[in-house]
Every structure is written in structure tokens, then in C-alpha cells.
Amino acid sequence: MRANRTVWMTAALVTATLGAVAMPTAATAATPRAAAAACPTGWGSLDKVDWSYTAGEYITNARTGRHECYDRFVVDVPAASADQIGYTVHYVDQLIQDPTGDPIPISGGAILEVIVRAPAYDSGAPTYPGQAGQPLPGVNLTGYRTFRDAKFASSFEGQSQFGLGLRARLPFRVLQLDGRLVVDVAHSW
């Protein structure tokens, strides 16, 4: 009788222990730390550059989007193929407008400068409605985890400059796709 009782007690303890171990694992899946672990990027935060140039292709729009693991910035250059869209994307201490040298105030803990090697004008007429030093037209960053500000800086000598105000200096990647340049900034390291 005593042996049966010992077996049953041992089985009950093992079951309770396994249940307790399994429960926190399921519960922690919803925590921010577990969510961040599910979004590995490996992107890094160093400068990213491609010296390609879009001849005769123009910027028509700049927009943002929210994703589970990152915030996205997209510059539309509809007639350009992926291999034509050149860029420089890097962190700066201050967004300085090209060619004036004037600083453009931008909110956030870090500033990511995005230079696209395509103009926002054709024969002097604007192809993109952004105004130098102003927030991007039609972009509302409410609810974004990483983006705090997004401004058009300038378009001069065949290239256009944007500034993204971020929560912090975070890893990012750049994608060249047909008709657009994409910059994804991770929500965490």
C-alpha cells in the first residue's frame, strides 16, 4: 500500500512540475522580450550605400508602414528598375539640408538620413509634393514603435534627401525593388 502511495505521489509531483514548467513558457510568448526574440534581423546600423543612379527616373511619393518587427519607409521611383536606384542611408547627428547647409529639426533619439539618387523634379517641375524641411505629406506616424518623425529635406542635383527621426539608433536594412527603395528599421536589437 505504501509503495502504491509513493508511486502516486511521485506521479502527481512530476505532473505538477511539468505543468508548471509548460505554463510559463506559453505565458512568456506574449512578453515583449519573447516577441523581440522572434524578430532577429542581423541588419546592423552601419552605413549602407549603392552608387547607382537613376537617369530620367523621378520620385513620385514617399510613405511609411508598420510591421510586426520593424517600421518601413518607402520612396517610389515608378519607372526605375531595382538595380538603378542608388542610395546612401546612414545615421547622422543632425539633418543638414543639401545644398543650403541649414539644419532641419527632427524629433527622436536618433536621425537616419536617406539619400535617394533620383530627383523629385522633372525639368524644374516637382514630381513629389514634399516641401523642404517639412513632414512628409500624407504620413501620420501615430502608433509607430520606431519612427518619431519623417521629413523631406531637399532634392538637388539629381538626388533627394529625407530624414527619419527614430526612437533610438536601431538596426536597419535597405531593399532595392523595381519602382521603389525600401528602408526597414527594426523595433529592437
Side-chain angles (χ1 to χ4, degrees), residues 32-44 67-71 145 170-173 184-189:
R33 180 176 212 119
C39 295
T41 63
W43 299 340
H67 295 265
E68 184 176 336
C69 297
Y70 52 86
D71 288 350
R145 287 185 53 195
L170 294 163
F172 66 93
R173 70 175 172 183
D184 293 332
V185 184
H187 292 158
S188 65
W189 280 93

Side-chain angles (χ1 to χ4, degrees), residues 1 6 19 32 35 39 42 54 70 73 77 79 95 101 104-105 113 126 174 181:
M1 178 92 158
T6 303
C39 295
T54 58
Y70 52 86
F73 174 64
V77 189
L95 184 62
I104 295 175
E113 181 180 47
V174 180
L181 182 78

Side-chain angles (χ1 to χ4, degrees), residues 3-188:
N4 278 344
R5 187 174 184 181
T6 303
V7 169
W8 284 107
M9 291 293 282
T10 303
L13 285 171
V14 168
T15 303
T17 302
L18 289 175
V21 169
M23 290 295 269
T25 303
T28 57
T31 65
R33 180 176 212 119
C39 295
T41 63
W43 299 340
S45 62
L46 298 178
D47 299 1
K48 294 170 180 58
V49 178
D50 182 317
W51 292 104
S52 301
Y53 184 76
T54 58
E57 316 303 340
Y58 310 100
I59 292 173
T60 59
N61 193 25
R63 53 200 162 90
T64 60
R66 293 183 295 168
H67 295 265
E68 184 176 336
C69 297
Y70 52 86
D71 288 350
R72 174 169 278 183
F73 174 64
V74 179
V75 179
D76 292 321
V77 189
S81 63
D83 62 344
Q84 291 178 309
I85 303 175
Y87 61 85
T88 299
V89 181
H90 61 137
Y91 281 100
V92 295
D93 294 329
Q94 192 174 30
L95 184 62
I96 303 295
Q97 185 184 39
D98 183 23
T100 67
D102 294 337
I104 295 175
I106 193 158
S107 302
I111 300 170
L112 192 63
E113 181 180 47
V114 178
I115 298 171
V116 182
R117 289 185 182 67
Y121 55 83
D122 180 13
S123 302
T127 59
Y128 170 65
Q131 299 295 312
Q134 298 301 309
L136 302 181
V139 170
N140 180 349
L141 298 177
T142 302
Y144 280 71
R145 287 185 53 195
T146 297
F147 291 170
R148 297 294 182 258
D149 202 357
K151 291 188 177 171
F152 179 64
S154 70
S155 190
F156 180 70
E157 292 187 349
Q159 65 182 23
S160 299
Q161 177 188 27
F162 299 86
L164 297 174
L166 310 177
R167 176 175 47 81
R169 186 179 177 128
L170 294 163
F172 66 93
R173 70 175 172 183
V174 180
L175 305 171
Q176 295 162 289
L177 305 172
D178 287 342
R180 63 193 178 278
L181 182 78
V182 176
V183 179
D184 293 332
V185 184
H187 292 158
S188 65

